Amino acid sequence: SHRKFERPRHGSLGFCPRKRCAHHKGKVRSFPRDDPKKPCHLTAFMGYKAGMTHIVRDVDKPGSKQHKKESVEAVTIIETPPMIVVGIVGYVRTPRGLRSLTTVWAKHLSDEFKRRYYKNWYKSKSRKAFTKYTKEESEKQKDFDKELARIAKYCEVVRVVAHTQLSKTGLSQKKAHVMEIQVNGGSSKDKVEFGKNLFEKEVPVKSVFAKDEMIDVLGVTKGHGYKGVVSRWHVTKLPRKTHRGLRKVGCIGSWHPARVGWSVPRAGQKGYFHRTEVNKKVYRIADACKKADGTFEHKNATTEFDLTEKSITPMGGFPHYGAVMQDFVMIKGCCVGVKKRVVTLRKTLLAQTSRTALEEIQLKFIDTSSKFGHGRFQTADEKSKFMGVMKKTITQAAAAK
């Protein structure tokens, strides 16, 4: 027969059940394999998705038709203020997997971090989280050292507990995001010493990742609510003249077995799923515009070819996010989640050998025109020079006097 009787199924069953994620942040289920020969280092970081822009660069791939030609590529900006280490956890290996042996906390913990332990910080009267622990620890320094020695002696896996600094971003949330970051490299004793030295200190993103590195992004996708089969599973619509609707599955199964199979597409939740995206190339890791002394230096979007002094924030800010004033990571392409969503960045689990992974990126131009409409100008200075004296500038100057 010339008719087709089979086709590949619609939608992957590998992501079943398609239901809403229980936690809001990207959860690292596997950290990179440890190598004791390497020096101690952290393997993950957290940031906030600000938005997207595009860049121009020369492709460096000898033999390719694109070699030495300009390429315009979409990039995502993830704002990554320094994280603060507040604890160390040690894990011992058992036949049933890892078991936490003990946790050691720092003495001084910020309110940002403590808020994470309260459903409603504003209404809670006592706010006693960690008060007993810090009081006991200040009296007994030897207990602190004893627990660290236990971790160094018995534990194979050592992780530090670190939290983000939301107060440094423009976001309205005050409750910090907390995660465990595995320390890889060196012996257990080295790991504990490494973690202890980071206590109550700021860890910048450039101490974890480097330019041209391939990283993984973990997060929760944009939620779309309750959707039908055409949107959720991408099944084919039925012909126009179909009775009782056409955005349906034509047949949901045979008479027997007398039940609907689990693999048959059905309506339900679409989006807000936990996803891990691998092999995102880091195009740039830039320092904050806002310096420690409170001054601003708008130079983190300047390149060798485009010497205009400008920051990464486009004209009018990133839509639904605002200005990026802290350190940021620029990765190639898109990543999971809506703007403002917390995403987890993790070192790759694989040995990267492809040409794309090894290619050195040289940015020629970073676009900072408005992302709201058709952006014509890269900076406010450029706009004022082109437009000349405008009525609103005169009225604003008069009002200021």
Side-chain angles (χ1 to χ4, degrees):
S1 168
H2 63 284
R3 300 266 178 227
K4 275 176 71 176
F5 293 108
E6 290 181 347
R7 56 148 179 78
R9 64 160 289 113
H10 287 286
S12 170
L13 294 176
F15 295 107
C16 287
R18 289 180 185 245
K19 59 187 212 179
R20 282 193 297 272
C21 186
H23 47 87
H24 186 68
K25 67 182 198 308
K27 183 179 177 183
V28 180
R29 288 163 187 169
S30 308
F31 281 99
R33 187 169 287 170
D34 193 8
D35 183 3
K37 295 188 184 90
K38 290 180 180 172
C40 292
H41 59 275
L42 298 177
T43 51
F45 207 83
M46 282 174 123
Y48 299 91
K49 180 172 170 176
M52 294 185 74
T53 183
H54 66 262
I55 57 99
V56 177
R57 71 180 184 93
D58 278 338
V59 177
D60 181 27
K61 276 191 179 175
S64 165
K65 285 188 176 177
Q66 277 286 88
H67 183 51
K68 290 190 174 175
K69 288 198 172 116
E70 284 189 348
S71 170
V72 178
E73 291 170 350
V75 290
T76 303
I77 307 301
I78 299 168
E79 191 170 14
T80 50
M83 290 181 79
I84 293 179
V85 174
V86 289
I88 293 182
V89 195
Y91 290 89
V92 289
R93 288 199 194 279
T94 70
R96 291 184 300 280
L98 295 175
R99 177 179 71 82
S100 65
L101 181 73
T102 185
T103 309
V104 178
W105 297 97
K107 291 192 179 96
H108 305 98
L109 304 169
S110 67
D111 282 355
E112 226 174 355
F113 168 70
K114 287 180 188 170
R115 277 174 184 268
R116 179 51 58 188
Y117 291 85
Y118 290 85
K119 187 82 174 168
N120 192 330
W121 172 266
Y122 174 73
K123 284 186 180 170
S124 62
K125 291 180 177 65
S126 57
R127 297 182 185 172
K128 285 194 168 175
F130 288 98
T131 49
K132 194 174 172 187
Y133 180 88
T134 46
K135 187 171 177 254
E136 285 175 6
E137 278 306 313
S138 54
E139 291 165 8
K140 303 175 191 171
Q141 175 64 30
K142 64 175 188 286
D143 279 12
F144 179 84
D145 296 330
K146 194 173 99 179
E147 289 299 295
L148 286 176
R150 274 184 73 208
I151 295 174
K153 186 177 178 184
Y154 297 111
C155 297
E156 284 184 47
V157 175
V158 177
R159 292 176 186 168
V160 296
V161 181
H163 71 82
T164 58
Q165 296 187 82
L166 269 160
S167 57
K168 292 201 166 186
T169 67
L171 303 179
S172 57
Q173 185 176 320
K174 295 176 184 175
K175 191 185 287 190
H177 291 98
V178 184
M179 77 173 290
E180 285 183 10
I181 304 173
Q182 189 159 306
V183 180
N184 278 0
S187 63
S188 293
K189 191 178 175 185
D190 298 337
K191 288 181 171 78
V192 171
E193 195 58 36
F194 176 80
K196 185 185 165 188
N197 291 337
L198 291 176
F199 265 19
E200 298 173 28
K201 288 182 185 168
E202 289 191 339
V203 178
V205 70
K206 62 184 175 190
S207 68
V208 181
F209 301 115
K211 183 180 166 288
D212 299 331
E213 192 178 343
M214 296 294 256
I215 63 172
D216 301 340
V217 177
L218 302 88
V220 177
T221 61
K222 183 195 278 193
H224 295 276
Y226 194 96
K227 288 283 189 178
V229 285
V230 173
S231 175
R232 191 182 186 216
W233 291 96
H234 304 293
V235 300
T236 310
K237 279 167 65 178
L238 299 177
R240 183 187 61 80
K241 295 180 79 167
T242 312
H243 184 45
R244 292 189 187 146
L246 47 82
R247 295 177 67 89
K248 295 173 175 234
V249 174
C251 171
I252 59 168
S254 56
W255 191 310
H256 289 290
R259 57 194 168 271
V260 178
W262 67 278
S263 60
V264 176
R266 308 292 270 158
Q269 175 67 27
K270 182 188 178 187
Y272 204 75
F273 304 139
H274 185 278
R275 293 288 180 263
T276 301
E277 293 191 314
V278 298
N279 297 348
K280 300 282 181 188
K281 196 168 179 78
V282 176
Y283 274 12
R284 177 170 280 203
I285 295 177
D287 293 330
C289 296
K290 195 174 183 180
K291 302 301 173 190
D293 57 359
T295 57
F296 293 92
E297 189 180 57
H298 298 290
K299 282 185 179 177
N300 58 15
T302 305
T303 65
E304 279 183 34
F305 297 86
D306 177 26
L307 299 173
T308 314
E309 289 193 5
K310 57 182 184 177
S311 65
I312 194 66
T313 309
M315 296 271 291
F318 282 103
H320 306 283
Y321 189 87
V324 172
M325 289 298 177
Q326 295 300 316
D327 304 349
F328 69 85
V329 175
M330 180 193 284
I331 59 168
K332 184 186 174 181
C334 57
C335 81
V336 293
V338 290
K339 284 88 171 169
K340 300 182 189 170
R341 181 149 301 169
V342 61
V343 291
T344 305
L345 311 174
R346 180 191 65 188
K347 281 187 175 285
T348 182
L349 304 182
L350 315 164
Q352 298 288 349
T353 54
S354 71
R355 287 176 75 187
T356 310
L358 302 175
E359 186 181 357
E360 192 179 334
I361 303 299
Q362 199 74 35
L363 300 183
K364 291 182 86 170
F365 170 77
I366 300 168
D367 183 63
T368 55
S369 63
S370 173
K371 303 291 158 211
F372 208 90
H374 302 280
R376 291 167 64 193
F377 308 106
Q378 294 296 320
T379 60
D381 191 37
E382 185 188 324
K383 182 179 178 180
S384 64
K385 280 178 184 171
F386 181 84
M387 303 295 270
V389 179
M390 294 171 73
K391 187 180 175 183
K392 69 175 180 182
T393 55
I394 297 166
T395 51
Q396 281 169 1
K401 287 175 186 176

